[in-house]
Amino acid sequence: MNHNVWEDGFFKIDPECHIIGDMGPVNHFPGVQMWWRAIDGIMRPTLQGAPDHLLNMIEPWEMTKSTDPENILRAMDKYGVDVACLLPESMMDTTGYSSRWCTNGDAWKAVQTHPDRFIIEPNLSPIKQRGVKNAIWEMEYWMEKGAKIFKYYSPEDTYINDPELWPFYKRAEELGAVLCMHTGFSWVPPGKSKYCHPTQLDDVARDFPQLKIVAFHMGYPYSDALNMVALGHPNVYLCLSLLVPWALTAPYKFAHILGEAIRFVGPDRIIWGTDSAGYGAQIGAASVGLLDFQIPEELQWKYGYLPLTDEDKRKIFGGNLGKLLGIDTTKRRGG
């Protein structure tokens, strides 16, 4: 890792920095317990193959779950992340739709602690379950307060291409919202994986060609399908969130994911992200992972992948999302 993370030249914007809040009041729900068991399972495919230098880089505080925004900022400063979009977890399916884990109001409060480094990313989920008109009202409310980027987590709600959501997408397009969507698989039951297959985005992107869609997690494990959707729809952006640690623990696997994405859509519509949820180590692994990564020459030769340039990394780390959100990425915000 660069001895001065603010000299690497890459303005970094994280579009998926979760805040969870106090889980104590909801931990008794069976769905919440199911969710946390799944998180334990995610640790294996994420950390298997981790090199010693990665483990030595991580300090004890980074492996301790924290709900304090100051802990997020501490990790951002350590790893040179300029801006984080604070995204509150909804996960109402885990509580039988009785409670949210963390509200958009909680996220707004956290953003105010460091408005130069944090921006709010309201979670509008679920949309169908609570009523499309209610979701539209809340999107309009937060846009009046300056929000530009939003999250829709379909696994707790309905299919991405459910026709009943069309009025919501239409309004999001009219308002110029950047809409981030979970795609691929629900890693955490009770969320339903059938609701987030990336081919469902094809219908949305076709009917709302001006709606800026950011597909989280590269549609994994259906990344090839998402690449084909994005190939035909220039309003679809691919986000590496959750998968970037594989640049350190499974570099050939990550090289295929990133190499294929660049082949189909180019470096101008790929966005970095951490998918962090209270652990500084997640921010660290995602930051260092892309910073030092290069597509192995063997894969460049075998698959025709292009080498990753500093300009590619500059776009992926923050340049592409900065353009969508109107953020000046020429001047770093830390250090």
Side-chain angles (χ1 to χ4, degrees):
M1 187 171 64
N2 194 317
H3 71 283
N4 186 337
V5 294
W6 300 104
E7 292 181 355
D8 60 31
F10 303 124
F11 191 106
K12 304 178 188 68
I13 307 174
D14 182 8
E16 194 175 13
C17 183
H18 293 282
I19 55 173
I20 292 180
D22 180 11
M23 294 295 298
V26 298
N27 274 333
H28 60 284
F29 285 101
V32 174
Q33 296 170 23
M34 180 184 289
W35 194 96
W36 281 112
R37 285 195 299 270
I39 291 294
D40 291 339
I42 290 173
M43 299 301 287
R44 179 174 182 173
T46 303
L47 295 178
Q48 179 177 302
D52 289 340
H53 74 269
L54 171 61
L55 300 177
N56 293 335
M57 170 191 77
I58 297 172
E59 300 175 73
W61 64 268
E62 298 177 68
M63 294 300 295
T64 302
K65 180 177 173 292
S66 173
T67 61
D68 187 351
E70 296 301 321
N71 200 64
I72 296 174
L73 188 67
R74 184 180 180 186
M76 291 169 63
D77 284 341
K78 178 177 178 179
Y79 295 107
V81 178
D82 297 79
V83 175
C85 301
L86 297 191
L87 170 59
E89 287 283 22
S90 171
M91 298 300 169
M92 291 191 70
D93 57 334
T94 66
T95 66
Y97 299 96
S98 66
S99 308
R100 277 180 182 255
W101 289 11
C102 188
T103 69
N104 292 322
D106 293 330
W108 178 255
K109 183 178 178 180
V111 165
Q112 304 317 304
T113 63
H114 298 281
D116 59 326
R117 304 291 297 282
F118 296 150
I119 62 176
I120 190 170
E121 182 175 352
N123 193 332
L124 299 175
S125 314
I127 296 175
K128 184 175 181 177
Q129 288 282 348
R130 67 184 176 119
V132 174
K133 289 183 178 179
N134 294 325
I136 291 174
W137 174 88
E138 189 172 17
M139 175 171 57
E140 292 173 341
Y141 172 83
W142 287 113
M143 290 205 80
E144 289 177 1
K145 294 180 75 68
K148 297 179 179 179
I149 184 171
F150 298 85
K151 168 72 178 294
Y152 175 45
Y153 183 72
S154 62
E156 69 171 336
D157 193 25
T158 187
Y159 296 96
I160 290 173
N161 60 350
D162 186 330
E164 291 190 34
L165 301 182
W166 256 230
F168 171 82
Y169 292 137
K170 182 177 186 295
R171 188 61 179 139
E173 182 182 50
E174 291 171 349
L175 292 171
V178 176
L179 186 60
C180 300
M181 295 200 226
H182 179 99
T183 62
F185 216 82
S186 174
W187 295 63
V188 281
K192 296 179 175 66
S193 296
K194 65 182 180 180
Y195 287 163
C196 57
H197 196 289
T199 56
Q200 296 168 27
L201 280 179
D202 188 43
D203 294 333
V204 180
R206 180 197 63 236
D207 285 5
F208 305 98
Q210 302 305 315
L211 175 61
K212 301 304 181 185
I213 299 169
V214 177
F216 280 164
H217 320 310
M218 305 296 284
Y220 188 87
Y222 312 114
S223 301
D224 289 340
L226 178 60
N227 289 337
M228 293 303 298
V229 171
L231 171 69
H233 297 294
N235 57 323
V236 175
Y237 291 71
L238 312 179
C239 183
L240 293 162
S241 59
L242 177 66
L243 309 184
V244 188
W246 278 339
L248 297 166
T249 62
Y252 273 54
K253 184 179 185 69
F254 184 72
H256 274 299
I257 293 171
L258 182 54
E260 289 296 316
I262 292 177
R263 181 197 303 282
F264 281 91
V265 308
D268 293 333
R269 283 193 282 135
I270 300 174
I271 292 171
W272 176 75
T274 70
D275 195 19
S276 61
Y279 295 95
Q282 295 173 294
I283 296 174
S287 301
V288 176
L290 183 60
L291 180 65
D292 297 332
F293 184 72
Q294 181 54 265
I295 295 177
E297 290 186 7
E298 179 184 0
L299 296 189
Q300 294 181 35
W301 175 72
K302 284 187 174 181
Y303 293 92
Y305 297 151
L306 299 176
L308 200 61
T309 68
D310 281 352
E311 182 59 23
D312 293 336
K313 292 181 181 180
R314 187 170 294 109
K315 292 177 179 179
I316 294 169
F317 261 132
N320 294 335
L321 185 56
K323 286 183 179 180
L324 289 179
L325 299 180
I327 294 175
D328 180 8
T329 60
T330 62
K331 185 178 180 181
R332 305 300 300 277
R333 296 199 182 184

